[in-house]
Amino acid sequence: MAYGDRRLLRACCGLLLGGLIATGCSDGGDEGKRPDGGKGKGSTSASAAPATATPTPTPTALDFVPDPKRAPRTEADARRIALAVVAGPDAWGPDYVKRTPHLSGPAYWPVLGENCAWGTGVRPSTVLYSVTAYSEIPADGARGTLRVAATVTVHRSESDADWEMAGTLEEALRCPDQKLRDGERISQLISLGNPFGVGGNFTATDSLGERGLYLADGVKGEQFYGWYQSRIGQVTVATVVKGAPGYSEEETSTTVGTVSGQVQALVTMIERAKDELEVQS
């Protein structure tokens, strides 16, 4: 499906690449390119009239007005919304399929311990419901199995969701090296937060990204790791990619790129969350 805001986030997905440097899309401009796609140059002829182009308008406010009557207040409300929003394989791209199991259990809540190892904890009272959908591209020839996941968390309040975003940023600072489970870890994790209007974020109330290295038993070499997360009102959505041989964040002559699918899945969930929560015309 094609959402209007997808082009904005897709254009600025580079803010989570190259060491999470956002300068390439922070101003929403055309970066010196002419409307025909060529590079702009200074005039070499006094008689030549400079070409003019209508600048692309930059949003000044998030295109989202929440309807208090539609805000989830019970676990049942939150479950319905979470399952309607979470991105399955169709949102990632045509090559993705469901993993087994595809959805996390209703009580599942991951917790990063003091030893920087992830374990299972108790869902906090500030969370009404959370679900994770697991997808993958199966191994094919020289390419390994690419595993991805999408998570939706519905909080009791917008403030609670905001605290989750802050906590996610803090985790990377506290634990740049993390154990995901036995035989699986990430290292050299860095993070960057972008509230609306900053760093090219014109699609969500708040957004953040994490990058690092992914290492797993049975997977050759160091792979990339990327986590994108956004907040719309009291709902947070996130996508994660664990790299595999034959893949890279951006496509090259020898690898398949993953960032486009990850951005597509994230924006799909952002727009679904807006549809569930906003004022209906």
Side-chain angles (χ1 to χ4, degrees), residues 56-81:
T56 301
T58 299
T60 57
L62 181 65
D63 182 22
F64 171 67
V65 179
D67 184 347
K69 296 179 181 178
R70 304 185 72 194
R73 293 178 173 81
T74 67
E75 181 176 338
D77 291 340
R79 181 179 184 275
R80 180 192 61 78
I81 290 175

mmCIF file of all heavy atoms in Angstrom, residues 56-81:
data_model
loop_
_atom_site.group_PDB
_atom_site.id
_atom_site.type_symbol
_atom_site.label_atom_id
_atom_site.label_comp_id
_atom_site.label_asym_id
_atom_site.label_seq_id
_atom_site.Cartn_x
_atom_site.Cartn_y
_atom_site.Cartn_z
ATOM 1 N N THR A 56 9.923 22.055 -2.186
ATOM 2 C CA THR A 56 9.032 21.109 -1.530
ATOM 3 C C THR A 56 8.682 21.619 -0.137
ATOM 4 O O THR A 56 9.575 21.910 0.655
ATOM 5 C CB THR A 56 9.697 19.733 -1.411
ATOM 6 O OG1 THR A 56 10.035 19.272 -2.718
ATOM 7 C CG2 THR A 56 8.762 18.732 -0.740
ATOM 8 N N PRO A 57 7.400 21.787 0.173
ATOM 9 C CA PRO A 57 7.040 22.311 1.494
ATOM 10 C C PRO A 57 7.448 21.351 2.602
ATOM 11 O O PRO A 57 7.305 20.139 2.479
ATOM 12 C CB PRO A 57 5.510 22.461 1.415
ATOM 13 C CG PRO A 57 5.089 21.490 0.346
ATOM 14 C CD PRO A 57 6.216 21.469 -0.641
ATOM 15 N N THR A 58 7.982 21.902 3.665
ATOM 16 C CA THR A 58 8.372 21.115 4.829
ATOM 17 C C THR A 58 7.250 21.145 5.855
ATOM 18 O O THR A 58 6.789 22.217 6.240
ATOM 19 C CB THR A 58 9.653 21.672 5.462
ATOM 20 O OG1 THR A 58 10.707 21.611 4.506
ATOM 21 C CG2 THR A 58 10.046 20.869 6.692
ATOM 22 N N PRO A 59 6.766 19.996 6.324
ATOM 23 C CA PRO A 59 5.685 19.992 7.309
ATOM 24 C C PRO A 59 6.083 20.748 8.566
ATOM 25 O O PRO A 59 7.216 20.667 9.031
ATOM 26 C CB PRO A 59 5.485 18.507 7.604
ATOM 27 C CG PRO A 59 6.050 17.795 6.417
ATOM 28 C CD PRO A 59 7.196 18.645 5.947
ATOM 29 N N THR A 60 5.161 21.527 9.100
ATOM 30 C CA THR A 60 5.419 22.273 10.330
ATOM 31 C C THR A 60 4.771 21.619 11.537
ATOM 32 O O THR A 60 5.040 22.006 12.675
ATOM 33 C CB THR A 60 4.902 23.713 10.207
ATOM 34 O OG1 THR A 60 3.495 23.684 9.894
ATOM 35 C CG2 THR A 60 5.642 24.453 9.092
ATOM 36 N N ALA A 61 3.916 20.662 11.299
ATOM 37 C CA ALA A 61 3.256 19.957 12.398
ATOM 38 C C ALA A 61 2.927 18.541 11.934
ATOM 39 O O ALA A 61 2.727 18.292 10.749
ATOM 40 C CB ALA A 61 1.984 20.682 12.836
ATOM 41 N N LEU A 62 2.880 17.626 12.885
ATOM 42 C CA LEU A 62 2.563 16.234 12.565
ATOM 43 C C LEU A 62 1.128 16.117 12.085
ATOM 44 O O LEU A 62 0.210 16.682 12.685
ATOM 45 C CB LEU A 62 2.764 15.363 13.809
ATOM 46 C CG LEU A 62 2.496 13.862 13.648
ATOM 47 C CD1 LEU A 62 3.497 13.252 12.672
ATOM 48 C CD2 LEU A 62 2.578 13.162 14.998
ATOM 49 N N ASP A 63 0.937 15.396 10.998
ATOM 50 C CA ASP A 63 -0.394 15.205 10.423
ATOM 51 C C ASP A 63 -1.129 14.120 11.206
ATOM 52 O O ASP A 63 -1.370 13.026 10.710
ATOM 53 C CB ASP A 63 -0.257 14.821 8.953
ATOM 54 C CG ASP A 63 -1.618 14.658 8.267
ATOM 55 O OD1 ASP A 63 -2.595 15.227 8.777
ATOM 56 O OD2 ASP A 63 -1.691 13.957 7.242
ATOM 57 N N PHE A 64 -1.477 14.462 12.436
ATOM 58 C CA PHE A 64 -2.142 13.493 13.307
ATOM 59 C C PHE A 64 -2.868 14.226 14.418
ATOM 60 O O PHE A 64 -2.259 14.965 15.201
ATOM 61 C CB PHE A 64 -1.120 12.530 13.903
ATOM 62 C CG PHE A 64 -1.663 11.632 14.990
ATOM 63 C CD1 PHE A 64 -2.607 10.658 14.698
ATOM 64 C CD2 PHE A 64 -1.224 11.764 16.298
ATOM 65 C CE1 PHE A 64 -3.114 9.842 15.693
ATOM 66 C CE2 PHE A 64 -1.711 10.946 17.305
ATOM 67 C CZ PHE A 64 -2.662 9.980 17.002
ATOM 68 N N VAL A 65 -4.169 14.053 14.484
ATOM 69 C CA VAL A 65 -4.984 14.635 15.553
ATOM 70 C C VAL A 65 -5.681 13.490 16.264
ATOM 71 O O VAL A 65 -6.618 12.882 15.730
ATOM 72 C CB VAL A 65 -6.024 15.633 15.007
ATOM 73 C CG1 VAL A 65 -6.857 16.188 16.159
ATOM 74 C CG2 VAL A 65 -5.338 16.757 14.244
ATOM 75 N N PRO A 66 -5.233 13.134 17.480
ATOM 76 C CA PRO A 66 -5.835 11.993 18.171
ATOM 77 C C PRO A 66 -7.267 12.274 18.615
ATOM 78 O O PRO A 66 -7.616 13.396 18.955
ATOM 79 C CB PRO A 66 -4.909 11.790 19.376
ATOM 80 C CG PRO A 66 -4.309 13.139 19.627
ATOM 81 C CD PRO A 66 -4.160 13.770 18.270
ATOM 82 N N ASP A 67 -8.067 11.239 18.600
ATOM 83 C CA ASP A 67 -9.448 11.325 19.065
ATOM 84 C C ASP A 67 -9.517 10.660 20.437
ATOM 85 O O ASP A 67 -9.340 9.434 20.538
ATOM 86 C CB ASP A 67 -10.363 10.604 18.078
ATOM 87 C CG ASP A 67 -11.833 10.742 18.443
ATOM 88 O OD1 ASP A 67 -12.135 11.173 19.577
ATOM 89 O OD2 ASP A 67 -12.686 10.402 17.598
ATOM 90 N N PRO A 68 -9.736 11.415 21.513
ATOM 91 C CA PRO A 68 -9.778 10.817 22.851
ATOM 92 C C PRO A 68 -10.780 9.674 22.971
ATOM 93 O O PRO A 68 -10.568 8.741 23.757
ATOM 94 C CB PRO A 68 -10.185 11.998 23.750
ATOM 95 C CG PRO A 68 -9.762 13.223 22.993
ATOM 96 C CD PRO A 68 -9.955 12.875 21.543
ATOM 97 N N LYS A 69 -11.836 9.715 22.176
ATOM 98 C CA LYS A 69 -12.840 8.661 22.242
ATOM 99 C C LYS A 69 -12.320 7.334 21.683
ATOM 100 O O LYS A 69 -12.864 6.271 22.018
ATOM 101 C CB LYS A 69 -14.094 9.085 21.477
ATOM 102 C CG LYS A 69 -14.804 10.309 22.066
ATOM 103 C CD LYS A 69 -16.016 10.673 21.237
ATOM 104 C CE LYS A 69 -16.717 11.901 21.806
ATOM 105 N NZ LYS A 69 -17.893 12.308 20.983
ATOM 106 N N ARG A 70 -11.279 7.398 20.847
ATOM 107 C CA ARG A 70 -10.736 6.178 20.237
ATOM 108 C C ARG A 70 -9.507 5.663 20.976
ATOM 109 O O ARG A 70 -8.958 4.625 20.607
ATOM 110 C CB ARG A 70 -10.388 6.440 18.774
ATOM 111 C CG ARG A 70 -11.539 6.955 17.938
ATOM 112 C CD ARG A 70 -11.146 7.078 16.473
ATOM 113 N NE ARG A 70 -11.008 5.774 15.845
ATOM 114 C CZ ARG A 70 -10.422 5.566 14.680
ATOM 115 N NH1 ARG A 70 -9.876 6.583 14.028
ATOM 116 N NH2 ARG A 70 -10.343 4.352 14.162
ATOM 117 N N ALA A 71 -9.077 6.374 21.995
ATOM 118 C CA ALA A 71 -7.883 5.961 22.735
ATOM 119 C C ALA A 71 -8.163 4.667 23.490
ATOM 120 O O ALA A 71 -9.197 4.532 24.164
ATOM 121 C CB ALA A 71 -7.475 7.052 23.716
ATOM 122 N N PRO A 72 -7.274 3.675 23.396
ATOM 123 C CA PRO A 72 -7.489 2.403 24.113
ATOM 124 C C PRO A 72 -7.379 2.589 25.619
ATOM 125 O O PRO A 72 -6.495 3.289 26.108
ATOM 126 C CB PRO A 72 -6.364 1.520 23.568
ATOM 127 C CG PRO A 72 -5.304 2.480 23.146
ATOM 128 C CD PRO A 72 -6.016 3.687 22.633
ATOM 129 N N ARG A 73 -8.282 1.947 26.334
ATOM 130 C CA ARG A 73 -8.275 2.057 27.793
ATOM 131 C C ARG A 73 -8.207 0.698 28.478
ATOM 132 O O ARG A 73 -7.940 0.610 29.671
ATOM 133 C CB ARG A 73 -9.528 2.817 28.263
ATOM 134 C CG ARG A 73 -9.536 4.276 27.836
ATOM 135 C CD ARG A 73 -10.806 4.994 28.277
ATOM 136 N NE ARG A 73 -10.744 6.416 28.005
ATOM 137 C CZ ARG A 73 -10.987 6.986 26.827
ATOM 138 N NH1 ARG A 73 -11.341 6.215 25.803
ATOM 139 N NH2 ARG A 73 -10.896 8.288 26.661
ATOM 140 N N THR A 74 -8.463 -0.354 27.738
ATOM 141 C CA THR A 74 -8.440 -1.696 28.308
ATOM 142 C C THR A 74 -7.462 -2.561 27.520
ATOM 143 O O THR A 74 -7.052 -2.218 26.405
ATOM 144 C CB THR A 74 -9.836 -2.337 28.251
ATOM 145 O OG1 THR A 74 -10.200 -2.559 26.882
ATOM 146 C CG2 THR A 74 -10.874 -1.444 28.918
ATOM 147 N N GLU A 75 -7.109 -3.709 28.086
ATOM 148 C CA GLU A 75 -6.224 -4.632 27.392
ATOM 149 C C GLU A 75 -6.863 -5.127 26.100
ATOM 150 O O GLU A 75 -6.176 -5.295 25.077
ATOM 151 C CB GLU A 75 -5.880 -5.818 28.293
ATOM 152 C CG GLU A 75 -4.939 -6.817 27.627
ATOM 153 C CD GLU A 75 -4.512 -7.937 28.561
ATOM 154 O OE1 GLU A 75 -4.581 -7.753 29.788
ATOM 155 O OE2 GLU A 75 -4.108 -9.001 28.048
ATOM 156 N N ALA A 76 -8.166 -5.338 26.122
ATOM 157 C CA ALA A 76 -8.856 -5.802 24.919
ATOM 158 C C ALA A 76 -8.780 -4.758 23.807
ATOM 159 O O ALA A 76 -8.541 -5.089 22.632
ATOM 160 C CB ALA A 76 -10.316 -6.128 25.243
ATOM 161 N N ASP A 77 -8.973 -3.476 24.158
ATOM 162 C CA ASP A 77 -8.850 -2.397 23.180
ATOM 163 C C ASP A 77 -7.440 -2.383 22.592
ATOM 164 O O ASP A 77 -7.247 -2.263 21.376
ATOM 165 C CB ASP A 77 -9.132 -1.044 23.826
ATOM 166 C CG ASP A 77 -10.586 -0.856 24.224
ATOM 167 O OD1 ASP A 77 -11.450 -1.572 23.680
ATOM 168 O OD2 ASP A 77 -10.845 0.004 25.085
ATOM 169 N N ALA A 78 -6.459 -2.460 23.492
ATOM 170 C CA ALA A 78 -5.064 -2.382 23.068
ATOM 171 C C ALA A 78 -4.675 -3.573 22.206
ATOM 172 O O ALA A 78 -3.927 -3.433 21.230
ATOM 173 C CB ALA A 78 -4.163 -2.297 24.294
ATOM 174 N N ARG A 79 -5.167 -4.751 22.541
ATOM 175 C CA ARG A 79 -4.855 -5.947 21.758
ATOM 176 C C ARG A 79 -5.386 -5.811 20.342
ATOM 177 O O ARG A 79 -4.688 -6.141 19.369
ATOM 178 C CB ARG A 79 -5.445 -7.183 22.432
ATOM 179 C CG ARG A 79 -5.143 -8.483 21.689
ATOM 180 C CD ARG A 79 -5.748 -9.685 22.422
ATOM 181 N NE ARG A 79 -5.385 -10.940 21.774
ATOM 182 C CZ ARG A 79 -6.042 -11.466 20.738
ATOM 183 N NH1 ARG A 79 -7.119 -10.830 20.250
ATOM 184 N NH2 ARG A 79 -5.643 -12.607 20.193
ATOM 185 N N ARG A 80 -6.617 -5.322 20.211
ATOM 186 C CA ARG A 80 -7.199 -5.149 18.881
ATOM 187 C C ARG A 80 -6.352 -4.200 18.045
ATOM 188 O O ARG A 80 -6.046 -4.465 16.870
ATOM 189 C CB ARG A 80 -8.631 -4.617 18.992
ATOM 190 C CG ARG A 80 -9.311 -4.406 17.639
ATOM 191 C CD ARG A 80 -10.600 -3.619 17.782
ATOM 192 N NE ARG A 80 -10.383 -2.303 18.344
ATOM 193 C CZ ARG A 80 -9.906 -1.259 17.653
ATOM 194 N NH1 ARG A 80 -9.585 -1.403 16.373
ATOM 195 N NH2 ARG A 80 -9.761 -0.088 18.229
ATOM 196 N N ILE A 81 -5.938 -3.083 18.649
ATOM 197 C CA ILE A 81 -5.143 -2.094 17.926
ATOM 198 C C ILE A 81 -3.775 -2.656 17.562
ATOM 199 O O ILE A 81 -3.295 -2.516 16.429
ATOM 200 C CB ILE A 81 -5.006 -0.804 18.761
ATOM 201 C CG1 ILE A 81 -6.358 -0.083 18.821
ATOM 202 C CG2 ILE A 81 -3.927 0.111 18.185
ATOM 203 C CD1 ILE A 81 -6.371 1.132 19.726
#
